[in-house]
Amino acid sequence: MSARTKMIRYIAGDLKRTLFLEGVAAASFAQKIFTLFFAYGFHALIVYRMGQAIRFYLSRWYGLPLYYPVIFIYHCLRFSVRILYGIHIDPDAVIGERFYIGHFGKIVIGPKVVIGHDCSIHQQVSIGVFPKDQKGCVVIEDNVWIGGHSLIKKGVVIGKNATIVVGANVVSNVKPFTMVMGNPARMIKQDFDNSSLMGY
Amino acid sequence: MKSDLRKDFERYLEFNNEKSPASVKTCIRIVAKSKGLWVIIIYRFGRWVNAGFDKTYSKPLKYLLKLLYFIGRYFSVCFVKTEISLASEIGKGLFISNRGNIMLGADKMGENCTVQHNVTFGQDRNRKEPIFGDNVWIGADSIIYGGIKIGSNTVITEQTVLSKSIPGRMLVGGNPCRVIRKNIYDGPYPIIYPFVECQRGQK
């Protein structure tokens, strides 16, 4: 599958998920376009997916001169999204399908971060940025709900279907199907079904 | 709309240590300096447009003004990084920090409230929003969510995570939230330096 069709497939998945979670999946076309105009996280994700496709073409020698204007436009868009919305997504990160960014704000996704499918993120979350001296990857598995204002340290593995409540400071690994809260993060519930938060 | 904006502007004058009524020069200087006031002006304008213009001859005007409001909302997100949702009812005398990163998604809010930077009011699983009383002081980096009621004259410290209801006249804080002091202060409002006044009231 070429990089262009892959990018289109990822963007379509993100679009479906944002429309569903904003509550306009069954509304008219005009209302969908209206909510998309204010879906700031979706704009940032389009730029990120564009960057992934461009990286693929940069590694091939034959596509390079044709893509100079596209690369320039991509860097302009990434710069403007960073300044206007405050969303920093590093192009080294790996993000799965159907990702949802809730709001604008200080969202920072550092390099060396792997995120699975069907996750969702909210405002003022930083993943894989602190502490600066250490080295380590952050691995987030499928179906994770991360509440706002939380901090995820480097080298942490978060299991499937976990929920991270608003304002948590995650320092150690999180087991799957649990709910985690506080500073530092402690487990408060086991076998918590977070499908209502995901919207399914 | 005009009386609400007048009280908001007076709070910004107090913050800059100016007396009201102020000269035209100071008015222009303060309006240019405080970004939170721009967001409040845009919000009040949107509420005013939504409340009126229902007759048939003024409906195209309503769409035009709504378009202006949405441009203003996009501007406030991009340059001031705050957002006030239109469904919330906020009373007079609101003060918003100029640094930004604020998301006000409250259901109702009383008069003379102060909100510092990096604050979010959000929804919980059932899509309900909090209700505030008068004279609430909310510290920076805090989150308040759920369908809860917060009484009047409370002080919420920095970096708190609140999800339960609180009666009036309390000092609360922490993650998770705990009560620090009750019956804190009974004097002239609004609270400007909360911790000094809370200790004074205790004596």
Side-chain angles (χ1 to χ4, degrees):
Chain A
M1 193 189 316
S2 76
R4 201 182 300 152
T5 49
K6 212 178 176 186
M7 173 179 98
I8 291 174
R9 198 180 81 168
Y10 275 102
I11 290 180
D14 295 335
L15 181 87
K16 250 191 176 178
R17 187 107 192 278
T18 46
L19 285 179
F20 187 74
L21 281 177
E22 303 263 347
V24 282
S28 59
F29 183 69
Q31 224 172 356
K32 283 183 188 175
I33 295 237
F34 176 71
T35 45
L36 276 185
F37 190 72
F38 288 111
Y40 313 106
F42 181 63
H43 303 163
L45 266 180
I46 291 179
V47 175
Y48 167 75
R49 304 288 188 200
M50 245 177 86
Q52 299 288 79
I54 284 175
R55 284 187 132 208
F56 174 79
Y57 283 112
L58 274 182
S59 60
R60 307 278 188 273
W61 61 270
Y62 45 78
L64 188 57
L66 294 173
Y67 276 90
Y68 273 141
V70 176
I71 292 172
F72 179 70
I73 292 173
Y74 163 68
H75 279 298
C76 286
L77 282 176
R78 192 163 74 97
F79 184 69
S80 60
V81 158
R82 212 181 72 192
I83 284 194
L84 296 182
Y85 296 157
I87 302 179
H88 311 227
I89 302 185
D90 202 287
D92 281 332
V94 176
I95 298 182
E97 300 188 27
R98 300 178 292 269
F99 193 58
Y100 174 66
I101 297 184
H103 297 281
F104 64 98
K106 274 193 310 186
I107 297 172
V108 186
I109 299 182
K112 300 185 181 177
V113 166
V114 177
I115 300 182
H117 305 306
D118 295 306
C119 292
S120 65
I121 249 184
H122 295 78
Q123 64 265 30
Q124 307 219 12
V125 167
S126 49
I127 302 183
V129 179
F130 293 108
K132 283 186 180 179
D133 318 332
Q134 291 180 17
K135 297 183 184 180
C137 297
V138 176
V139 177
I140 301 179
E141 300 191 10
D142 304 344
N143 280 316
V144 171
W145 191 88
I146 303 182
H149 292 250
S150 47
L151 235 161
I152 299 181
K153 200 176 154 183
K154 282 184 187 176
V156 158
V157 174
I158 300 181
K160 288 186 184 183
N161 293 73
T163 23
I164 298 177
V165 178
V166 148
N169 194 340
V170 179
V171 169
S172 53
N173 293 349
V174 173
K175 292 184 186 173
F177 290 98
T178 55
M179 188 180 195
V180 147
M181 182 173 163
N183 178 357
R186 294 174 209 100
M187 182 176 70
I188 55 172
K189 268 187 194 171
Q190 254 173 340
D191 293 326
F192 181 73
D193 181 24
N194 67 349
S195 53
S196 62
L197 291 169
M198 296 302 196
Y200 305 138
Chain B
M1 183 172 106
K2 274 186 186 174
S3 58
D4 296 352
L5 275 178
R6 190 170 279 248
K7 291 237 166 163
D8 299 332
F9 182 64
E10 274 172 17
R11 293 222 51 203
Y12 278 89
L13 281 178
E14 265 181 66
F15 179 70
N16 286 316
N17 296 324
E18 305 271 352
K19 292 180 191 170
S20 72
S23 60
V24 177
K25 231 187 180 180
T26 44
C27 282
I28 292 176
R29 184 168 59 93
I30 285 173
V31 168
K33 200 167 131 182
S34 35
K35 300 181 185 175
L37 195 55
W38 304 346
V39 180
I40 296 177
I41 290 172
I42 291 169
Y43 163 73
R44 302 263 189 223
F45 176 71
R47 293 281 299 182
W48 178 69
V49 166
N50 256 352
F53 298 100
D54 279 330
K55 299 184 183 171
T56 45
Y57 58 81
S58 52
K59 266 202 172 168
L61 187 65
K62 183 173 185 177
Y63 287 128
L64 243 184
L65 291 176
K66 258 194 169 179
L67 182 72
L68 263 183
Y69 163 69
F70 288 128
I71 294 175
R73 187 169 139 189
Y74 199 73
F75 165 81
S76 76
V77 164
C78 290
F79 292 98
V80 192
K81 303 242 176 3
T82 68
E83 192 172 15
I84 307 183
S85 72
L86 204 59
S88 56
E89 304 168 9
I90 302 186
K92 320 177 188 178
L94 175 70
F95 179 85
I96 285 189
S97 160
N98 299 324
R99 300 213 187 136
N101 275 321
I102 299 172
M103 295 223 47
L104 292 192
D107 203 358
K108 281 179 193 170
M109 208 159 173
E111 310 188 349
N112 290 326
C113 292
T114 15
V115 180
Q116 302 289 319
H117 59 280
N118 274 353
V119 160
T120 55
F121 303 154
Q123 303 170 336
D124 67 346
R125 271 181 271 170
N126 304 323
R127 302 222 160 195
K128 286 189 182 165
E129 290 163 345
I131 297 175
F132 290 85
D134 304 337
N135 296 318
V136 182
W137 195 93
I138 299 167
D141 292 318
S142 57
I143 309 156
I144 300 167
Y145 67 101
I148 61 175
K149 286 189 183 173
I150 296 184
S152 318
N153 314 328
T154 55
V155 173
I156 300 174
T157 53
E158 278 84 11
Q159 286 186 349
T160 66
V161 178
L162 245 193
S163 61
K164 304 202 170 159
S165 305
I166 287 179
R169 283 188 75 195
M170 272 188 167
L171 174 68
V172 295
N175 176 2
C177 201
R178 296 175 202 98
V179 174
I180 300 176
R181 209 175 276 158
K182 301 185 185 179
N183 294 327
I184 44 173
Y185 182 56
D186 191 20
Y189 287 108
I191 302 177
I192 302 175
Y193 302 110
F195 300 110
V196 173
E197 267 115 5
C198 289
Q199 281 175 4
R200 222 185 274 154
Q202 196 70 3
K203 287 171 192 169

